[in-house]
Each structure stands twice: as C-alpha cells, then as structure tokens.
Amino acid sequence: MRNEMMSRPVVKPEVLNFLRQQTVPLSSKLLQIQHEANTKRIPIIPQETVSYLYQLVTQRQPKAILEVGTAIGFSSSLFVEATQKQAQITTIDRFETMYHHARANWEQLGYSENIQLLTGDAADILPTLTTQYDLIFLDAAKAQYIKFLPEALRLLAPHGILLIDDVLQGGSIFEPETTIRHRDKGIHRKLNQLLTTVYADPNLLATLLPLGDGLLQITKVEATTK
C-alpha cells in the first residue's frame, strides 16, 4: 500500500492559519509589542515560532541564553518570560536603530537586568565569549550563519540546543542556483553550505522544523548518548 501522506505538504495555508491563531501566555506588554511589530511589518519571529520557542524554553529552563540578532528585543523578552526571569540572556546586534528600540522595550517590560546587549559585529564578538550557553538562537544575517556556526558550537553547552532561524528562504534554497536572483545567490550558496555542513557532521543531530521560514535545531551527539 502506498502511503499517500508522504506526498502531501505539511504546511498548507489552512495549517499555517491555524498555527498563527494559537495563543501563547505572554505578558500583556509583550503582546502589545508583538502586535505593534506585526502591524508595522517590523521583522520578528512569527506566531508558530513564538509558540514553539515558548514551550521549548519553558520545558528546558535554560539558565544562559545567547542570541545573535537582537532586532527590537522581542525574542529575548520571550526567553525572559518563559524562564520566569531566571535566565540571563546575552544578545548581539550591530544595528543601532534596532538595539535602541530593544533597550526601550526591555525597560518598559522590566527585563533590563536579565539581558546583556553586546553591540557590534557578531563575527568579531563571538570569538571573545567564553560562557557555555544552554540555548543559542541565531536570527541574523543569513549568509553569515555558516561563519557563525563553529563559534556557536564551541559556546554550546554539552546538553544545549542551537537554533538557527530562517534557513529556507521561502523554499528557494532547494532550487538550482541558476534560477536565483543575482543579489540572492550568496545567501542561497551559504545556506546550502550550512545545511550540508550540519547534516554531514557525525557529531551533530539536526532537525529542520517547518516553522516560519525554517527553523534548524541542532544538538551535539555526545549530549544525547550519555
């Protein structure tokens, strides 16, 4: 018997619609920040990713979290709430307009003491860090992910989780490079290199989740076999 489900896509518009209607127990202030960002088309993680991260962080209760790509501070604030202000978050961003906005949001929420902002290029900052992080969330320049990967893995605690957001580019990374617009060819090449590298590494376990524009979840093999 043929398994018809093998040839049916998972994320149909109806499924996505349903996922984005599900509520997450965020504070009223953070929900307002989320609403304003979505209304103004400011890029933050979509609702299905919010739901997954909130549940994951609530269950795992990481104490040290590293984020690359602060934006307006929404996801770092989500981490604070999901850990009931028990985690310390280090977040990196090089765009001044974004991290000023993030600081204002953290002050409004009362989360400034839980979040350390490092301003500058993550490629320069990551090699200077020495903390072992229970959770690392990369949500920055997509073409830089492959460059960030070795440092992220170095900083990842043995039982930690590395999450890399927006790795699918609307599914276009699986199309031939000849069909990709010239300005997007670099991202296309680097994201394919990232997936090839991660899945070929016998020391890593990787799962590509169809959330948002693709969420790549990575753990170390040794952390799962002890």
Side-chain angles (χ1 to χ4, degrees):
M1 295 288 291
R2 291 181 59 190
N3 184 353
E4 293 183 1
M5 303 309 292
M6 292 292 288
S7 58
R8 294 183 185 177
V10 175
V11 187
K12 296 181 179 180
E14 302 91 331
V15 176
L16 187 60
N17 232 14
F18 177 80
L19 293 173
R20 292 191 172 175
Q21 291 174 10
Q22 304 314 303
T23 59
V24 178
L26 303 178
S27 67
S28 58
K29 289 183 178 179
L30 189 53
L31 285 172
Q32 181 61 33
I33 290 170
Q34 181 189 36
H35 175 73
E36 289 179 3
N38 288 333
T39 300
K40 296 177 181 178
R41 306 289 292 174
I42 298 172
I44 61 171
I45 53 176
Q47 184 65 11
E48 65 271 25
T49 307
V50 171
S51 179
Y52 179 74
L53 290 184
Y54 189 90
Q55 183 177 39
L56 179 70
V57 174
T58 298
Q59 290 177 335
R60 300 278 300 217
Q61 289 297 304
K63 298 302 182 187
I65 299 174
L66 173 65
E67 174 186 62
V68 178
T70 308
I72 63 167
F74 175 76
S75 51
S76 52
S77 300
L78 181 152
F79 296 147
V80 174
E81 293 197 357
T83 60
Q84 298 181 334
K85 300 181 76 170
Q86 296 303 303
Q88 287 296 318
I89 294 92
T90 300
T91 183
I92 303 171
D93 207 295
R94 63 191 179 95
F95 294 108
E96 189 173 353
T97 53
M98 284 295 189
Y99 61 67
H100 282 317
H101 196 166
R103 278 195 176 115
N105 284 334
W106 297 329
E107 288 176 9
Q108 177 190 348
L109 291 161
Y111 298 160
S112 297
E113 291 186 4
N114 290 86
I115 302 171
Q116 177 189 23
L117 172 65
L118 302 178
T119 60
D121 194 324
D124 298 325
I125 294 173
L126 287 172
T128 70
L129 301 179
T130 57
T131 300
Q132 290 281 282
Y133 295 95
D134 306 306
L135 177 69
I136 299 177
F137 183 48
L138 303 186
D139 187 14
K142 317 312 169 195
Q144 297 299 309
Y145 285 161
I146 187 65
K147 188 175 183 180
F148 297 158
L149 181 64
E151 289 298 329
L153 292 174
R154 177 183 67 83
L155 294 167
L156 188 65
H159 297 276
I161 296 176
L162 170 60
L163 298 168
I164 307 180
D165 202 23
D166 298 328
V167 297
L168 293 181
Q169 294 291 288
S172 65
I173 64 161
F174 301 121
E175 297 172 5
E177 189 176 323
T178 53
T179 67
I180 305 300
R181 292 182 301 182
H182 178 74
R183 68 181 184 183
D184 296 329
K185 286 183 184 294
I187 295 176
H188 182 274
R189 197 176 302 119
K190 295 293 186 180
L191 285 175
N192 272 284
Q193 185 183 355
L194 173 73
L195 292 178
T196 300
T197 300
V198 167
Y199 278 100
D201 192 330
N203 296 310
L204 301 177
L205 287 176
T207 302
L208 182 53
L209 303 170
L211 299 170
D213 194 21
L215 182 67
L216 184 61
Q217 180 167 309
I218 302 167
T219 56
K220 297 177 180 178
V221 168
E222 56 265 31
T224 64
T225 56
K226 287 183 179 180

